[in-house]
Amino acid sequence: MKKINLSSHWPISDIQDNILFAGNGNVVLCYRLHLPEIYSLSEKDFEALHGVWFQALKSLPVGTVVHKQDLYVKKGFDPEGLANNTFLGKATHDYFKDREYMEHCCFLFFSLTKNKAINNPKYVNPFRKISRGTFSELDENLKSFISLVSDCVSYIQNSRRISITPLQPKEIENLTHNYFNGFNEGFDTDILLDKKNFTIGEHNFDALAINSELCFGESVQSSKTNEKFTSDDFVFHQGFIDGLGLTLKDNHIVNQILYLDNKHKWRRLLEKKVEELGKSSNFGTQNKVVLGKIKDILEKINADDNARIIRGHLNIIYWDRDSRNLERIGSKIKTQFKDLDIVPYYPRGEERNNYILNSYCCFSTNFSDEDLYVTDLKHALCLFINNTNYKSDPTGVIFNDREHNIPVLKDVWDERKKRIKARNFAIFAPTGEGKSFLANNILRQYFEDGVRLVIIDLGGSYAKFAKLYPNQYTVLRYEQGKNLGINPFYISSKKDLSPERLEELCVFLFELLATDLKVTKAQTVSIKKILHYYYKIISENHSLEGFYKFIEQRQKDLLENLKIHPDYFDIKAFLHVLSEYIGDGLYSFLFETDKDQTYKIEDKRLIVFELDEVKDNKEILSVMLKLIKSAIQRTIWKNPAEKGIILFDEFAKQLKFENVLESVEFYYQAIRKQNGAIGIILQSINQLPENSTSASILENTQVIYSLNNEKGYDELVKRLHLSSHDLNQLKSIKNNLAGSRKYTELFIKIGKESNIFRLEVPPEAYAAFLTDGAENAAIMSIYNRTGNMEEAIKEFLTAKISDDEK
């Protein structure tokens, strides 16, 4: 048995920035790749990425070795980045802690070796020392190589599809240590080699490889059908060898090594080989197969002036604590290769040791012709894995990735507006698919992150969630014949009467008038003059009725005193229309308040306006929305630096009336000046009428959430201008509402980026976000008894666990 002690065989002579000087004389430029998220790419995206790689690598000098290494290691999820200071935050933190997932790191290495022909013997001792001829300093040859690699890296970076960053010296050292320490944690160990086993510490290793043209079937391509998500009416794509990536779910490394060779040299060698095999092809079917493959390669080279000949090697190194599991993992890998019509080679003994040791970046120049297949660069690039795990943003709302159901933070606020210019959002889903549940989940996280929430609700879906935050919320519920206690005319002092406040009141009055004619500048100036005069003469108890009576009592000489032409302000029409809201008017109760109650919401960070009782009354609903808008302007929006969200739930019911849509559009216009966002919830996008107002709303909505819709997504695609891949993603949505880990899937599009996410929450959050049904009623019953929502949820869950155990 052989033993390799890494401390006495350290393969690195020196590291300068990301340039590794190996003990064997090689110089390696080391980078980390940041790939797109898995499931986010369409068939065209895969083709485009293939094109990026080809253009980037094709001009590298002869003798360059490109080594792409994808490292997949089982990990337990670390929830350190999740908030842990509230009831639901702590529940989420603890629920996902240590959940197993595959950590993926992707590296790209460019090696320069003195042996440009790279014509190695069968076995090379990777730890041999070279005392002479090493690149001890940056000579002209090395400087030229670094320059060409920099051009290649810049091209990859500028494609905007893949991000690439230089590795730091410490990262290179850690990678080297982890590789030869067998990814054991907590201790250093040696490599033990014998004919049967390759063992490092507690881990047993094995490998499979593609090392010959004979391994390949009829063809390779940049992508293939993803059978898991594809259905009869759509095709979902994945990378050609993605089945050997994240979805393998076992510890492994995919090494893709390319030797960039001289095209003309290999053309001559292949032609010579064809001639030799042509003479001997009658001596066996194997010779005929090889002859056919070499002829095919030659045809591609001769037909394509841009062809770049490479020798390539692909291997998958895998490991496990239990050596018996290696056979199971190997079987899974072979199955994946079989689906690709590829027959892998299974190295044993010295061959396996050779493959595993030489798949370290410093040693990947050591493979011999017997370990390499010959093909065109375009063919080899089909074997690149071009996606990775879902990416968490530094801050954001927690969703779950589709592969491991671990938390992913998505920044749907986008403070710096890198992805979106307007952070307004819309949620689309039919009844029963969980719209309000999703909204509760999003708003809860925003609220706990310091965002102020205003919810205009016609369904009563948020009172339970709000009760988790005593003293921080208020629910203003409309009851028949009563007012909300909002007085738009109220000022606490003369300082409140700013030009902006007069503008707001002016808009409010014109909305009440609901004139079909366009309001002129002369009319607005007239109203503002009268308002200013009113506040100058009347020093207290300001109200709509007081303003009405002020005009009524002075109607004979008011316009003359203020030098307003009668054409600019029709006093009789004004008094006639507003009489409905004054004295004995039909809707006077809406304004019957001598004191403004909005001070109640000034210090509240969660305000719910429940308008369920008024949802079918056009006039009252319209006025309510105007009053709410007035309250929001004077309280929540008085501090532009404060983040705020206004959510319209059951929005379709509010949209039954034209003037309501116009009233809501105002919020979209006004929110631009604020540090805020508008959210709407709809069963279908068809509930938004096809007019300019709706178009304006959709144009200013750049975060889209869609849950499952069995009726299809055609209208959503049409009106939101979604791509064909967006539609495929939508069609691939599948919920899992059985078993211990229930989740729903949802489509999220942030600007131009889209993917399918999952929504899985801990039992505490599930209980908090329920909006109807027997379980919700049970929780509310406990709350009515205890007066504490957190305790009510805990008691409900304890009882539920007890019932399940019975």
Side-chain angles (χ1 to χ4, degrees):
M1 179 180 289
K2 297 177 185 176
K3 183 172 85 169
I4 300 173
N5 183 330
L6 190 63
S7 61
S8 60
H9 292 83
W10 188 245
I12 300 172
S13 291
D14 189 22
I15 303 174
Q16 297 178 20
D17 297 322
N18 70 317
I19 305 172
L20 187 165
F21 293 87
N24 63 5
N26 288 341
V27 179
V28 187
L29 274 62
C30 310
Y31 296 88
R32 184 185 295 273
L33 286 171
H34 307 273
L35 302 171
E37 291 180 343
I38 188 171
Y39 306 130
S40 69
L41 300 173
S42 67
E43 182 180 16
K44 288 183 179 178
D45 292 328
F46 284 113
E47 289 174 5
L49 283 166
H50 183 273
V52 167
W53 280 118
F54 180 71
Q55 292 298 326
L57 301 181
K58 71 175 184 177
S59 299
L60 288 171
V62 169
T64 302
V65 175
V66 179
H67 180 180
K68 183 172 178 291
Q69 186 172 76
D70 291 271
L71 171 63
Y72 301 90
V73 182
K74 278 185 187 177
K75 295 278 186 177
F77 177 72
D78 180 359
E80 187 180 345
L82 305 185
N84 190 24
N85 53 357
T86 64
F87 172 58
L88 294 183
K90 187 176 188 307
T92 304
H93 177 281
D94 296 347
Y95 181 72
F96 289 108
K97 185 179 182 182
D98 294 328
R99 177 168 292 192
E100 190 175 279
Y101 75 103
M102 298 304 298
E103 181 184 75
H104 176 208
C105 298
C106 185
F107 306 103
L108 188 65
F109 306 105
F110 300 90
S111 295
L112 176 62
T113 176
K114 288 287 187 181
N115 177 15
K116 287 280 184 72
I118 321 180
N119 49 354
N120 298 305
K122 176 59 183 169
Y123 297 114
V124 176
N125 175 10
F127 293 100
R128 76 192 190 284
K129 296 286 182 181
I130 296 180
S131 56
R132 290 181 299 172
T134 60
F135 295 99
S136 56
E137 58 186 31
L138 297 183
D139 61 21
E140 291 306 314
N141 188 27
L142 181 52
K143 287 178 181 176
S144 173
F145 178 73
I146 292 171
S147 175
L148 290 167
V149 169
S150 295
D151 290 344
C152 168
V153 167
S154 295
Y155 187 88
I156 294 169
Q157 184 73 22
N158 292 336
S159 73
R160 297 187 179 181
R161 295 176 180 273
I162 302 172
S163 177
I164 182 168
T165 52
L167 281 179
Q168 298 300 310
K170 193 65 180 175
E171 291 179 299
I172 297 170
E173 290 176 3
N174 289 341
L175 177 61
T176 303
H177 176 268
N178 289 337
Y179 190 89
F180 290 112
N181 202 51
F183 303 98
N184 290 280
E185 294 184 356
F187 61 89
D188 290 343
T189 187
D190 300 322
I191 302 170
L192 299 179
L193 310 174
D194 62 32
K195 290 184 178 179
K196 289 186 177 180
N197 300 304
F198 187 111
T199 306
I200 308 178
E202 297 176 345
H203 295 155
N204 300 282
F205 285 75
D206 213 337
L208 286 162
I210 300 173
N211 64 349
S212 163
E213 304 85 46
L214 293 172
C215 295
F216 294 103
E218 287 298 314
S219 65
V220 297
Q221 54 209 52
S222 59
S223 67
K224 66 183 286 286
T225 300
N226 182 316
E227 301 295 345
K228 182 179 178 181
F229 296 119
T230 295
S231 188
D232 293 340
D233 61 337
F234 73 100
V235 177
F236 203 92
H237 280 81
Q238 66 180 48
F240 188 66
I241 69 162
D242 278 4
L244 300 169
L246 280 174
T247 57
L248 198 57
K249 300 291 195 298
D250 283 292
N251 296 314
H252 68 288
I253 303 170
V254 180
N255 291 293
Q256 293 149 308
I257 300 163
L258 309 179
Y259 289 22
L260 302 185
D261 284 325
N262 184 302
K263 175 177 178 177
H264 303 295
K265 170 192 165 185
W266 273 95
R267 179 187 283 154
R268 289 194 300 272
L269 288 172
L270 290 172
E271 286 170 349
K272 186 177 179 181
K273 204 164 188 179
V274 166
E275 186 181 341
E276 290 171 355
L277 285 168
K279 294 174 183 176
S280 61
S281 61
N282 293 326
F283 294 100
T285 54
Q286 183 78 349
N287 283 355
K288 287 182 179 178
V289 171
V290 175
L291 177 62
K293 288 188 179 290
I294 292 175
K295 280 184 174 178
D296 186 49
I297 294 167
L298 264 175
E299 283 177 17
K300 288 178 181 175
I301 295 169
N302 293 327
D304 186 355
D305 291 336
N306 290 320
R308 178 72 194 262
I309 296 300
I310 63 104
R311 283 174 292 163
H313 176 91
L314 184 147
N315 69 51
I316 298 170
I317 298 168
Y318 49 99
W319 68 93
D320 197 273
R321 282 172 179 256
D322 190 342
S323 60
R324 290 169 296 184
N325 278 337
L326 293 180
E327 188 175 340
R328 174 187 60 80
I329 300 169
S331 179
K332 285 166 64 177
I333 295 169
K334 289 170 192 172
T335 299
Q336 290 296 327
F337 274 128
K338 187 176 182 181
D339 288 344
L340 302 174
D341 194 21
I342 292 175
V343 180
Y345 168 69
Y346 183 32
R348 306 289 286 165
E350 189 72 15
E351 191 85 359
R352 176 175 53 198
N353 299 345
N354 182 48
Y355 281 9
I356 295 175
L357 292 176
N358 284 319
S359 291
Y360 168 65
C361 62
C362 286
F363 304 150
S364 52
T365 59
N366 287 344
F367 290 101
S368 71
D369 282 351
E370 290 182 42
D371 307 311
L372 302 165
Y373 60 85
V374 181
T375 188
D376 174 56
L377 178 59
K378 288 180 180 177
H379 177 284
L381 291 175
C382 291
L383 305 182
F384 269 28
I385 293 174
N386 284 314
N387 51 46
T388 187
N389 276 314
Y390 282 54
K391 299 172 186 175
S392 266
D393 295 320
T395 60
V397 175
I398 301 170
F399 300 100
N400 303 87
D401 84 328
R402 198 176 197 179
E403 193 56 45
H404 309 102
N405 275 41
I406 58 170
V408 180
L409 286 170
K410 295 312 286 187
D411 184 3
V412 288
W413 189 267
D414 199 6
E415 188 78 46
R416 298 182 181 179
K417 297 187 176 180
K418 288 184 176 180
R419 290 185 286 209
I420 49 177
K421 293 179 181 177
R423 54 181 65 100
N424 304 321
F425 65 92
I427 298 174
F428 299 99
T431 300
E433 288 293 341
K435 296 185 297 295
S436 294
F437 190 97
L438 172 60
N440 270 277
N441 180 64
I442 294 169
L443 295 181
R444 186 276 293 183
Q445 295 180 62
Y446 269 132
F447 177 75
E448 292 184 355
D449 198 35
V451 178
R452 202 166 188 181
L453 304 180
V454 178
I455 301 169
I456 301 168
D457 182 24
L458 271 67
S461 301
Y462 301 91
K464 180 150 62 73
F465 149 61
K467 287 177 172 63
L468 276 170
Y469 309 97
N471 305 321
Q472 295 188 65
Y473 81 94
T474 186
V475 177
L476 298 177
R477 185 179 290 107
Y478 171 77
E479 295 177 44
Q480 184 64 41
K482 295 183 180 179
N483 61 68
L484 283 178
I486 298 172
N487 177 5
F489 288 80
Y490 175 83
I491 59 170
S492 57
S493 70
K494 292 285 186 181
K495 292 179 182 178
D496 287 350
L497 201 65
S498 62
E500 289 79 13
R501 186 64 188 280
L502 287 173
E503 292 281 359
E504 290 164 11
L505 280 171
C506 179
V507 171
F508 175 76
L509 287 167
F510 276 119
E511 285 181 340
L512 276 186
L513 290 169
T515 176
D516 294 330
L517 301 174
K518 186 177 179 180
V519 178
T520 66
K521 178 72 174 176
Q523 289 173 309
T524 59
V525 170
S526 301
I527 285 274
K528 282 185 282 186
K529 274 190 171 185
I530 297 169
L531 281 166
H532 193 267
Y533 186 48
Y534 165 65
Y535 280 103
K536 183 179 178 182
I537 300 300
I538 308 298
S539 59
E540 57 184 4
N541 298 326
H542 305 106
S543 66
L544 177 64
E545 185 164 2
F547 184 60
Y548 182 94
K549 288 180 178 177
F550 177 80
I551 293 175
E552 186 180 44
Q553 290 164 3
R554 292 166 174 77
Q555 59 183 300
K556 288 184 180 179
D557 54 6
L558 179 66
L559 299 182
E560 188 178 337
N561 288 344
L562 295 176
K563 297 187 169 110
I564 298 172
H565 194 282
D567 290 348
Y568 299 154
F569 186 71
D570 189 337
I571 288 182
K572 289 185 178 179
F574 178 86
L575 294 174
H576 173 67
V577 173
L578 262 60
S579 65
E580 247 192 335
Y581 307 108
I582 302 300
D584 296 329
L586 188 60
Y587 301 113
S588 61
F589 63 89
L590 293 172
F591 294 92
E592 282 176 355
T593 176
D594 54 346
K595 287 189 177 180
D596 183 45
Q597 303 294 307
T598 52
Y599 70 89
K600 291 181 179 179
I601 69 174
E602 284 187 15
D603 63 340
K604 304 298 182 186
R605 291 182 44 251
L606 173 53
I607 303 114
V608 182
F609 294 99
E610 285 194 354
L611 307 181
D612 192 47
E613 285 193 29
V614 77
K615 62 190 176 190
D616 295 318
N617 188 309
K618 171 183 175 180
E619 191 65 35
I620 297 179
L621 178 59
S622 178
V623 174
M624 283 292 178
L625 288 174
K626 293 174 178 61
L627 286 169
I628 291 167
K629 180 172 68 179
S630 168
I632 290 170
Q633 285 173 314
R634 285 180 293 127
T635 56
I636 297 157
W637 285 356
K638 68 181 179 182
N639 179 10
E642 185 179 41
K643 293 180 181 178
I645 289 176
I646 301 170
L647 177 74
F648 292 90
D649 198 357
E650 295 291 348
F651 192 48
K653 293 176 183 176
Q654 302 175 32
L655 290 178
K656 288 191 295 186
F657 317 119
E658 272 185 37
N659 58 340
V660 173
L661 185 61
E662 271 75 40
S663 182
V664 170
E665 187 190 19
F666 167 83
Y667 285 95
Y668 279 85
Q669 294 168 346
I671 204 78
R672 294 174 187 170
K673 301 174 186 177
Q674 310 298 326
N675 192 12
I678 307 288
I680 57 174
I681 301 179
L682 288 166
Q683 292 181 20
S684 165
I685 199 166
N686 287 336
Q687 292 174 325
L688 268 179
E690 292 203 45
N691 58 30
S692 59
T693 305
S694 295
S696 173
I697 287 174
L698 291 177
E699 189 177 326
N700 286 292
T701 301
Q702 295 186 7
V703 181
I704 303 297
Y705 303 92
S706 177
L707 293 152
N708 182 53
N709 191 336
E710 292 181 357
K711 293 181 180 178
Y713 308 92
D714 291 347
E715 285 301 310
L716 202 65
V717 170
K718 175 185 167 187
R719 296 186 64 182
L720 293 176
H721 309 293
L722 302 182
S723 70
S724 57
H725 185 58
D726 290 337
L727 178 58
N728 287 342
Q729 287 177 324
L730 283 160
K731 287 182 174 180
S732 75
I733 288 175
K734 293 177 182 177
N735 296 335
N736 176 23
L737 302 177
S740 58
R741 290 184 179 176
K742 300 179 179 68
Y743 62 81
T744 54
E745 289 195 332
L746 64 148
F747 169 85
I748 303 179
K749 184 153 191 167
I750 307 169
K752 294 180 179 179
E753 297 176 11
S754 67
N755 212 338
I756 298 297
F757 292 79
R758 287 178 176 170
L759 180 57
E760 180 185 348
V761 298
E764 293 86 347
Y766 177 77
F769 301 156
L770 282 174
T771 56
D772 53 28
E775 291 182 317
N776 181 60
I779 296 167
M780 291 309 297
S781 175
I782 300 171
Y783 172 77
N784 291 335
R785 171 166 52 83
T786 63
N788 185 306
M789 183 55 72
E790 187 175 323
E791 290 302 319
I793 289 172
K794 287 178 180 176
E795 185 177 323
F796 167 77
L797 292 175
T798 302
K800 193 171 186 294
I801 291 169
S802 178
D803 290 343
D804 290 343
E805 288 174 349
K806 291 176 184 177

